[in-house]
Amino acid sequence: MENSALKIFVLSFFFVITIIVAQNQPIPTTLEGPFEPVTRRFDPSLRTGSDDLPMDHPRLKKNVTSIFPEQIALAISSPTSMWVSWVTGDAQIGSNVTALDPSSVASEVLYGKRSGEYTSKRNGNASVYSQLYPFEGLLNYTSGIIHHVRIDDLEPGTKYYFKCGDSKFPAMSEEHVFETLPLPSPTLYPRRIGVIGDLGLTSNSSTTIDHLTQNDPSLILMVGDLTYANQYLTTGGKGASCYSCSFPNAPIRETYQPRWDGWGRFMEPLISRVPMMVIEGNHEIEPQVSGITFKSYLTRFALPSEESGSHSNFYYSFDAGGIHFIMLGAYVDYNSTGAQYDWLKEDLHKVDRDLTPWLVAAWHPPWYNSYSSHYQEFECMRQEMEELLYQNGVDIVFSGHVHAYERMNRVYNYTLDPCGPVYITVGDGGNIEKVDVDFADDPGKCPSANDNIPEFGNVCHLNFSSGPAKGNFCWSKQPEWSALRESSFGHGILEVVNSTYALWTWHRNQDIYKEDSHGDQIYIVRQPELCSASTSKSDSLI
């Protein structure tokens, strides 16, 4: 075992040296941190945002007849199985809508290792959902038929060709292909992991997805706020960058649900061949009649909730090679007395760091954030969960919500800590609400106690009890735990090299036409010998 570990270390060392020599410039590592805080202010030559694409845009409009599959998407079920999802039939919107019959069409996936040769067949389930409003003048919506099929007995690192639909009509999709990820192993990892948040459907969103597609990910993490369908009235029309400003008399936070269908078509060319793992954000809440929320999110996505024992699409976990991913829900109970916390303790207890050395977590709103927008908004969640994640050695945390980029120095409880996670905010996907440009430490930009009230949970705003900001709600300069922040749209790529080194690159949208250009790049280095779990597993569950 010791010889094996030594070989991995030597290989990783030479890999890093090779990359540095090839690029003729050193890539920093977290071993050199903590870094002096750096701020890159918004480039005034760029636009702060753009309008949404219209529903008749070629990337959003429906291009198949009613019974044929569209909005095809993949998601990981287990290391040897995959979820295939799609939509058939026509959604309806109006004062009176009638739901389609999900049993009227089959849910089938044919698949195999050779193009045109489908040696396996699996059936799944289908459902529809409605978005209903008890207010005069608001339009109701009922979806097309949403299909989910789990295909299994997949071999790792293998290409599979598939068609989905109903073979009886026949109404099958065109052939699609995907490549399975490696099995859990300390030496095998996904090739590239794309990380995006707060995407929307604007021209900037298009650039983000085009740029991500160029970078050829093998797995995508979507950290909440997907379609921004709730920036519209139920009648459609033009979306708003500020909902309450444009629609102050709306009786409820309305949505235009066809935007979800447009988003599914917009994403299909990428996520029909690359699995995308999503977690809910505040724009997925979408309240309707009888206090129902999250109906579209819960119905449209198949996620490994049963497989991971959470039994909830609001939080779950999965493995991809030598990485264990934990996706947490900020808009359901996160208190230490709740079901999510109990599940998290059990999930962390089961992690075998010899098999999956990397532990990566993701949720929508950031705990560490120096922008004025959403500043300390989910401080309650941090206070409830941070210690548990720290004790169990989480390596990286991805969040969105703030429409900008920020990477932290390793931190725990607002204190620089070489064993704390690297927190990264990537809520800069390009949505209609525009980029965030104000920092809480700028003169006159510190939020008041009545600002940044979370859409779920309590308010736990606090003044710092130690350090340079002691006694204050905001710092007077960029906080020491904030390593780099920049107001630009973009996406991230995580490339795990081995059990200790992972290369993180943040790609700005404005760099899409520049070769080998990026906004941030760093090797995140694990130090298990220094940062083994601070307590035994049995102790950490107290």
Side-chain angles (χ1 to χ4, degrees):
M1 188 72 180
E2 290 182 359
N3 289 338
S4 174
L6 179 61
K7 288 179 181 177
I8 292 172
F9 173 79
V10 170
L11 287 171
S12 66
F13 174 80
F14 281 108
F15 177 87
V16 173
I17 293 299
T18 301
I19 292 291
I20 290 173
V21 170
Q23 295 187 351
N24 199 29
Q25 60 181 359
I27 299 174
T29 77
T30 52
L31 297 177
E32 301 162 37
F35 299 94
E36 286 295 314
V38 173
T39 294
R40 299 192 198 124
R41 295 193 176 270
F42 179 71
D43 182 349
S45 69
L46 303 174
R47 295 182 298 169
T48 57
S50 59
D51 290 337
D52 268 346
L53 303 177
M55 287 299 297
D56 61 357
H57 189 279
R59 296 175 74 157
L60 273 63
K61 68 181 183 180
K62 187 169 184 175
N63 291 312
V64 299
T65 55
S66 180
I67 61 173
F68 280 84
E70 62 156 357
Q71 305 178 49
I72 300 169
L74 302 175
I76 293 171
S77 169
S78 76
T80 59
S81 59
M82 190 78 74
W83 284 106
V84 182
S85 302
W86 68 94
V87 178
T88 58
D90 294 320
Q92 303 168 51
I93 189 163
S95 300
N96 297 300
V97 293
T98 303
L100 298 176
D101 178 6
S103 66
S104 63
V105 60
S107 306
E108 300 175 345
V109 175
L110 310 177
Y111 61 104
K113 296 180 187 177
R114 294 178 180 273
S115 177
E117 298 180 17
Y118 311 117
T119 56
S120 299
K121 174 185 174 181
R122 295 292 182 271
N123 295 310
N125 58 73
S127 62
V128 298
Y129 78 93
S130 296
Q131 190 79 11
L132 306 175
Y133 297 99
F135 300 100
E136 186 177 353
L138 273 61
L139 301 183
N140 298 317
Y141 169 93
T142 187
S143 71
I145 299 171
I146 299 168
H147 306 260
H148 300 302
V149 175
R150 184 176 183 265
I151 60 175
D152 53 11
D153 296 329
L154 304 177
E155 296 177 9
T158 302
K159 281 188 176 181
Y160 283 89
Y161 300 82
F162 74 93
K163 288 186 174 184
C164 59
D166 187 337
S167 59
K168 297 193 304 294
F169 278 107
M172 300 295 287
S173 70
E174 294 181 353
E175 183 179 82
H176 294 268
V177 61
F178 66 88
E179 185 172 339
T180 53
L181 298 172
L183 294 175
S185 164
T187 60
L188 298 172
Y189 297 92
R191 187 179 66 259
R192 292 186 193 90
I193 302 162
V195 187
I196 45 180
D198 302 73
L199 182 62
L201 273 173
T202 69
S203 297
N204 286 316
S205 312
S206 299
T207 304
T208 299
I209 292 302
D210 291 346
H211 203 177
L212 174 62
T213 301
Q214 283 184 15
N215 283 323
D216 192 25
S218 52
L219 171 66
I220 299 166
L221 300 184
M222 176 71 73
V223 294
D225 283 4
L226 283 63
T227 70
Y228 288 77
N230 68 342
Q231 297 300 116
Y232 289 78
L233 298 179
T234 62
T235 50
K238 186 177 175 62
S241 60
C242 172
Y243 186 90
S244 61
C245 306
S246 297
F247 312 122
N249 298 318
I252 192 172
R253 184 66 182 262
E254 300 178 33
T255 72
Y256 187 59
Q257 287 292 303
R259 301 296 297 181
W260 275 97
D261 296 306
W263 195 86
R265 297 166 192 136
F266 174 80
M267 294 295 294
E268 180 181 343
L270 179 59
I271 63 175
S272 61
R273 60 182 180 84
V274 178
M276 179 182 71
M277 310 305 291
V278 304
I279 199 69
E280 79 279 359
N282 56 298
H283 283 272
E284 280 72 66
I285 297 175
E286 298 186 331
Q288 58 168 304
V289 67
S290 302
I292 296 170
T293 55
F294 289 105
K295 195 65 176 177
S296 184
Y297 169 80
L298 293 173
T299 310
R300 288 178 182 269
F301 297 105
L303 298 168
S305 55
E306 301 300 320
E307 298 91 324
S308 64
S310 75
H311 309 293
S312 170
N313 275 14
F314 290 120
Y315 51 91
Y316 61 92
S317 66
F318 65 97
D319 292 327
I323 312 170
H324 185 70
F325 290 93
I326 297 173
M327 311 292 279
L328 297 179
Y331 300 92
V332 292
D333 185 5
Y334 49 69
N335 291 308
S336 58
T337 55
Q340 179 175 199
Y341 193 93
D342 286 344
W343 168 83
L344 177 60
K345 285 193 298 183
E346 182 64 24
D347 190 80
L348 289 168
H349 183 64
K350 293 177 182 177
V351 176
D352 182 351
R353 300 302 281 269
D354 290 329
L355 191 62
T356 53
W358 287 88
L359 188 51
V360 176
W363 56 84
H364 183 60
W367 294 349
Y368 290 92
N369 163 39
S370 65
Y371 287 81
S372 300
S373 180
H374 304 303
Y375 183 77
Q376 283 199 23
E377 186 175 301
F378 274 77
E379 176 63 17
C380 292
M381 185 183 180
R382 185 194 71 81
Q383 292 178 21
E384 291 289 331
M385 288 186 155
E386 184 180 27
E387 183 178 3
L388 181 60
L389 297 181
Y390 176 78
Q391 286 177 338
N392 285 273
V394 169
D395 299 300
I396 307 171
V397 173
F398 292 113
S399 295
H401 204 39
V402 177
H403 301 162
Y405 176 76
E406 187 167 21
R407 172 174 53 82
M408 315 307 156
N409 285 310
R410 291 191 178 275
V411 61
Y412 170 65
N413 197 24
Y414 291 112
T415 302
L416 295 175
D417 188 318
C419 297
V422 175
Y423 290 85
I424 299 174
T425 299
V426 286
D428 55 347
N431 67 79
I432 194 173
E433 286 187 327
K434 302 183 180 181
V435 71
D436 287 321
V437 298
D438 294 330
F439 303 112
D441 47 275
D442 281 341
K445 298 300 182 181
C446 179
S448 72
N450 295 322
D451 293 329
N452 299 330
I453 305 300
E455 293 184 59
F456 179 87
N458 296 320
V459 176
C460 296
H461 295 161
L462 55 77
N463 289 351
F464 294 99
S465 58
S466 62
K470 183 176 181 179
N472 297 316
F473 183 49
C474 295
W475 286 59
S476 60
K477 60 180 181 180
Q478 185 175 358
E480 61 188 4
W481 36 261
S482 173
L484 173 64
R485 59 189 185 183
E486 178 176 344
S487 300
S488 288
F489 294 122
H491 73 278
I493 295 287
L494 182 68
E495 300 172 83
V496 178
V497 180
N498 51 46
S499 62
T500 54
Y501 274 78
L503 179 63
W504 167 254
T505 306
W506 175 53
H507 296 273
R508 299 175 299 190
N509 281 3
Q510 60 263 38
D511 296 329
I512 187 171
Y513 303 112
K514 302 175 185 176
E515 189 173 349
D516 296 326
S517 182
H518 48 260
D520 185 27
Q521 192 168 55
I522 190 170
Y523 277 103
I524 298 172
V525 184
R526 297 183 62 248
Q527 294 181 275
E529 70 287 350
L530 172 67
C531 302
S532 59
S534 57
T535 61
S536 68
K537 282 195 171 182
S538 58
D539 290 339
S540 71
L541 297 181
I542 296 175

